[in-house]
Amino acid sequence: MSKKIVAPAYVAAMARAEADPAAARFWVGLDIGFKSTAVCVVDVDGAVVHQVSMKSHATEIGRYLRRNFKSHVTLIGMETGGLSPHLAGKLREQGFQVAVLDALQVHRVLSVKRNKTDTNDARGIAEITRSGRDYLTEVYVKSNLCFEVRASLIMRDRLVKQRRETEAMIRGLVRVYGGRIEPGSDSPATFRERSIDQLCLIADTEGVDLRPRVIPLLDLCERFYIEAGRIERELDLLAASNPVCKRFMEIPGIGTITALSFYSAIEDPTRFRHVDDVAAYLGLTPRVYQSGESLTHGGISKMGNQLTRTHLVGAATVMLANTKSFSTLKDWGMKLSKRVGFNKAKVALARKLAIVMFSLWRDGTHFMAKAADVGPHRDLMQARATA
């Protein structure tokens, strides 16, 4: 955008801004694509000042806004997407105020338009940024450190899933010829040994040699296991150096993965007003539908981060089924499981775990196995903090 803008709407808006400083306010909507981004700028009255399409690069977008609108840009709006965290961070570094809006909510607002184009979407986002932010959820953009931790957690999760899926495929292939690989093999070496035994047995009894096709898959499973183990060791070191994660891991059932997953999903506890908001943020609270005299409570919303929610449910399962140490939290979950069943109880306990972990983080306290010890311990830690 090196050319000077001569559009009548832009010239009139800038002349008005020069004459009336109160009118020197512009809102920007970005409809971000992988290669190009549609930009729409509106004034205080919602009139379109200028629309343009440019590369999805924060430097070019920032240069365009500084060159043509000086310091009059009030707010830049965009919806969540793959490039949104990067662009939002870079534009904020350039001094712009940026609001990242929930893509699903933005889509519902923009769906009232007859034609869906990038230009129309950018204009709709600019209008939402100007007047409708109170009705939509503004998304918190995490730091690069949190994205790095999340990337490691996602890679580790994918490697574990790929290993299990490959092993399941090998079990199914062997089963076709009457073979059976015994379950319970956490080590790839054990699974490999059992698999080769079955392959040799099939070759002797059925005359079918599957080893040239299956052994490369076994090698692949071993590489998945080794790489996942390397990532886990890195995460162990990271959790051990983080005082918040160390307090999380004092809770029975909470390990390195769950502690880092929760930490990176929240990052800043001050952005939640109430402890119950954390459970809703992670999708662990029931859906509610009310219309007139009808009031229905459904299953959990599942609206938050799926990976962290899975880790919390897994930690709750470990606490209920495997831990031996007593705690009021586990006792509550065991009583609930007898009343509503294990599956519902572990989800409810996962919701409790999220609230407890958030409280430990916010208050700077440690996990107390007995509920009666929580109040005195919190008072003691707060007294030390203010001393």
Side-chain angles (χ1 to χ4, degrees), residues 328-366:
T328 304
L329 195 59
K330 178 183 177 179
D331 187 55
W332 176 85
M334 295 298 293
K335 292 178 180 178
L336 184 65
S337 66
K338 294 177 181 178
R339 191 169 70 249
V340 301
F342 185 83
N343 288 334
K344 290 184 178 179
K346 69 181 183 182
V347 176
L349 184 57
R351 181 166 58 249
K352 285 277 189 180
L353 281 174
I355 294 173
V356 169
M357 293 169 71
F358 178 80
S359 299
L360 298 182
W361 191 355
R362 183 195 61 182
D363 301 336
T365 55
H366 296 267

Side-chain angles (χ1 to χ4, degrees), residues 138-380:
E138 186 171 341
V139 178
Y140 175 80
V141 180
K142 300 181 179 65
S143 65
N144 290 334
L145 176 60
C146 274
F147 279 119
E148 185 178 352
V149 174
R150 299 300 298 183
S152 297
L153 291 170
I154 291 171
M155 286 189 292
R156 180 255 177 196
D157 181 68
R158 294 292 185 272
L159 289 169
V160 172
K161 286 183 177 179
Q162 288 174 359
R163 177 199 161 200
R164 290 176 177 173
E165 290 172 358
T166 305
E167 289 179 350
M169 180 180 62
I170 295 173
R171 292 180 191 273
L173 183 60
V174 170
R175 195 177 295 119
V176 172
Y177 296 95
R180 183 178 184 272
I181 301 175
E182 293 294 330
S185 55
D186 292 333
S187 170
T190 304
F191 181 80
R192 183 188 187 94
E193 180 181 348
R194 295 176 182 177
S195 300
I196 292 179
D197 288 343
Q198 290 297 312
L199 294 175
C200 293
L201 183 61
I202 291 172
D204 293 338
T205 58
E206 302 294 332
V208 179
D209 190 3
L210 298 174
R211 285 171 292 185
R213 284 171 285 178
V214 174
I215 288 180
L217 297 177
L218 294 173
D219 295 337
L220 188 61
C221 290
E222 188 173 359
R223 288 197 293 271
F224 286 152
Y225 180 84
I226 293 172
E227 185 61 22
R230 183 190 64 80
I231 295 175
E232 287 181 6
R233 288 190 294 273
E234 293 178 355
L235 293 174
D236 287 340
L237 294 175
L238 182 60
S241 63
N242 189 310
V244 176
C245 291
K246 288 173 68 175
R247 293 208 306 274
F248 289 162
M249 291 187 289
E250 295 173 359
I251 305 173
I254 300 295
T256 299
I257 302 300
T258 305
L260 284 172
S261 181
F262 185 82
Y263 179 86
S264 59
I266 304 300
E267 187 182 26
D268 183 10
T270 60
R271 62 193 182 100
F272 295 94
R273 296 176 59 186
H274 307 287
V275 292
D276 293 338
D277 294 341
V278 176
Y281 175 74
L282 295 173
L284 288 168
T285 52
R287 290 179 180 271
V288 177
Y289 177 81
Q290 184 177 20
S291 178
E293 301 299 324
S294 174
L295 176 60
T296 304
H297 293 273
I300 60 173
S301 65
K302 299 183 180 180
M303 292 298 291
N305 187 280
Q306 181 181 1
L307 185 60
T308 300
R309 185 169 58 252
T310 301
H311 290 153
L312 287 171
V313 174
T317 304
V318 172
M319 175 179 282
L320 289 176
N322 297 101
T323 57
K324 303 299 182 183
S325 57
F326 168 82
S327 67
T328 304
L329 195 59
K330 178 183 177 179
D331 187 55
W332 176 85
M334 295 298 293
K335 292 178 180 178
L336 184 65
S337 66
K338 294 177 181 178
R339 191 169 70 249
V340 301
F342 185 83
N343 288 334
K344 290 184 178 179
K346 69 181 183 182
V347 176
L349 184 57
R351 181 166 58 249
K352 285 277 189 180
L353 281 174
I355 294 173
V356 169
M357 293 169 71
F358 178 80
S359 299
L360 298 182
W361 191 355
R362 183 195 61 182
D363 301 336
T365 55
H366 296 267
F367 177 72
M368 296 286 106
K370 297 181 179 180
D373 298 335
V374 173
H377 175 65
R378 182 186 293 115
D379 295 339
L380 176 62

